[in-house]
Amino acid sequence: MGAQLRVYKRRIRSVTATKKITKAMEMISASRIVKAQRAVAASTPYADELTRAVTAVATRSNAKHPLTTENPNASRAAVLLITADRGLAGGYSTNAIKAALTLTERLRAEGKDVVTYIIGRKGVSYYTFRNLAITASWTGFSDKPTYGDAKTVAADLIEAFTAETGGVDELHLISTEFVSMLTQNAVEARLLPLTLDEVQLSDQTPAKAEIFPLYDFEPSAEGVLDALLPRYVESRIYNALLQSAASEHAARRRAMKSATDNAGELIKSLTRLANSARQAEITQEISEIVGGANALADASRGSE
């Protein structure tokens, strides 16, 4: 019985240590969510206004640009998938990967070859383990992205989109939208080629988004597009990275809170079992003492 009690106590110590770790990770994620939300709030107006300006130039002028011209015979598409570098975030990365695989199947059903670009070690590990092709990948900044990271990713994608041979005709993005502390959704967006119907401004209604001011282009509409479109792609990717980072922290906080609660319940259960074992051990010892005393008393009466 004593061995069983020692096993329970050892498990309680182990689970208690795990609970401290998960509680610390929960608090860290909770503190980082606030910073991530502020970064999203700061970047969204810039991304929206830049998208609005690029859309106005693309739709209110006769300029032809490779980043806004639809290819009627599109045969090759690129998918950029944003996942996490670390685990313990519930279904955050899994949901994004599932969305990317669904999009890939749909594009292939349309007769297009699909090339995959991945941000985050979780996505890279998933594709590598299943021998799925990865054109390029970036890791190390999923939980705290910078504009420089987005610029690096955007440069490779724009280069692939504008390549005369071996390039892609479409660029799709799979990221995770931060809705609230409890809700994060994997979303799909087509970044290139840019068309008016696909522009989504986060702070404007569709009716308001259709109203455009009159623009004069200097030196030309083509020159303006050459300058704005790379910034547009960078800003959209940066905003998606920030949304995904906030979603990752929220998902990790929720997962760690659940783990902490489960550890607390397990500790209560193990404590009850340990108390029962201790009571049984005490009862057995008392029974042995009483039995020994009775045996001595009987022996004494027999000797008389």
Side-chain angles (χ1 to χ4, degrees):
M1 191 65 66
Q4 187 178 10
L5 181 59
R6 286 194 296 271
V7 170
Y8 287 139
K9 289 183 176 180
R10 184 165 58 249
R11 291 189 62 187
I12 290 173
R13 288 194 297 268
S14 176
V15 176
T16 301
T18 301
K19 181 181 178 180
K20 291 180 180 178
I21 295 173
T22 56
K23 183 63 176 179
M25 295 181 66
E26 176 190 348
M27 296 177 66
I28 291 172
S29 295
S31 65
R32 290 179 176 176
I33 290 173
V34 177
K35 296 180 181 178
Q37 286 180 296
R38 291 174 180 172
V40 171
S43 70
T44 299
Y46 172 78
D48 284 349
E49 289 304 321
L50 185 56
T51 301
R52 183 177 175 83
V54 172
T55 303
V57 178
T59 58
R60 303 302 172 182
S61 68
N62 295 324
K64 297 296 182 181
H65 195 279
L67 301 187
T68 60
T69 303
E70 187 83 25
N71 186 353
N73 300 318
S75 60
R76 192 173 171 86
V79 175
L80 173 62
L81 169 63
I82 301 178
T83 62
D85 284 318
R86 298 184 295 120
L88 302 177
Y92 164 74
S93 295
T94 301
N95 294 336
I97 291 172
K98 288 180 179 179
L101 294 176
T102 301
L103 173 61
T104 299
E105 292 178 0
R106 187 173 78 245
L107 292 173
R108 287 175 177 167
E110 296 174 359
K112 300 172 184 176
D113 294 331
V114 179
V115 294
T116 305
Y117 297 82
I118 300 178
I119 297 175
R121 292 189 179 92
K122 286 298 177 180
V124 173
S125 298
Y126 182 93
Y127 275 68
T128 301
F129 181 77
R130 289 160 179 77
N131 294 321
L132 301 176
I134 302 175
T135 303
S137 62
W138 301 267
T139 60
F141 55 82
S142 70
D143 60 342
K144 194 176 180 180
T146 64
Y147 193 84
D149 298 323
K151 192 172 183 178
T152 300
V153 176
D156 287 355
L157 295 174
I158 293 175
E159 181 180 356
F161 190 83
T162 56
E164 295 182 359
T165 58
V168 297
D169 302 306
E170 296 176 0
L171 173 58
H172 299 264
L173 172 65
I174 297 293
S175 60
T176 304
E177 180 186 19
F178 181 85
V179 180
S180 67
M181 296 291 289
L182 299 178
T183 305
Q184 301 86 40
N185 299 324
V187 294
E188 169 198 343
R190 196 184 81 167
L191 297 184
L192 296 175
L194 176 68
T195 59
L196 178 61
D197 293 338
E198 292 164 354
V199 173
Q200 299 291 332
L201 299 184
S202 62
D203 60 347
Q204 294 178 335
T205 62
K208 185 178 179 181
E210 293 175 357
I211 302 175
F212 290 93
L214 296 176
Y215 286 94
D216 288 330
F217 304 113
E218 292 292 344
S220 64
E222 291 83 354
V224 173
L225 285 174
D226 285 337
L228 287 182
L229 280 170
R231 306 289 85 77
Y232 155 77
V233 177
E234 292 168 6
S235 66
R236 289 291 298 273
I237 292 177
Y238 181 52
N239 187 258
L241 284 172
L242 293 176
Q243 292 269 3
S244 297
S247 300
E248 178 184 346
H249 292 312
R252 183 170 291 112
R253 175 188 175 276
R254 189 168 61 252
M256 291 300 98
K257 185 180 187 305
S258 177
T260 301
D261 294 342
N262 291 338
E265 293 298 324
L266 182 56
I267 290 172
K268 291 180 181 179
S269 177
L270 290 173
T271 300
R272 286 193 293 267
L273 292 174
N275 290 338
S276 297
R278 182 171 178 272
Q279 291 172 358
E281 183 178 352
I282 293 173
T283 302
Q284 182 179 355
E285 290 177 353
I286 293 173
S287 298
E288 291 174 353
I289 293 171
V290 173
N294 291 335
L296 288 174
D298 292 342
S300 298
R301 284 195 299 268
S303 63
E304 293 176 356

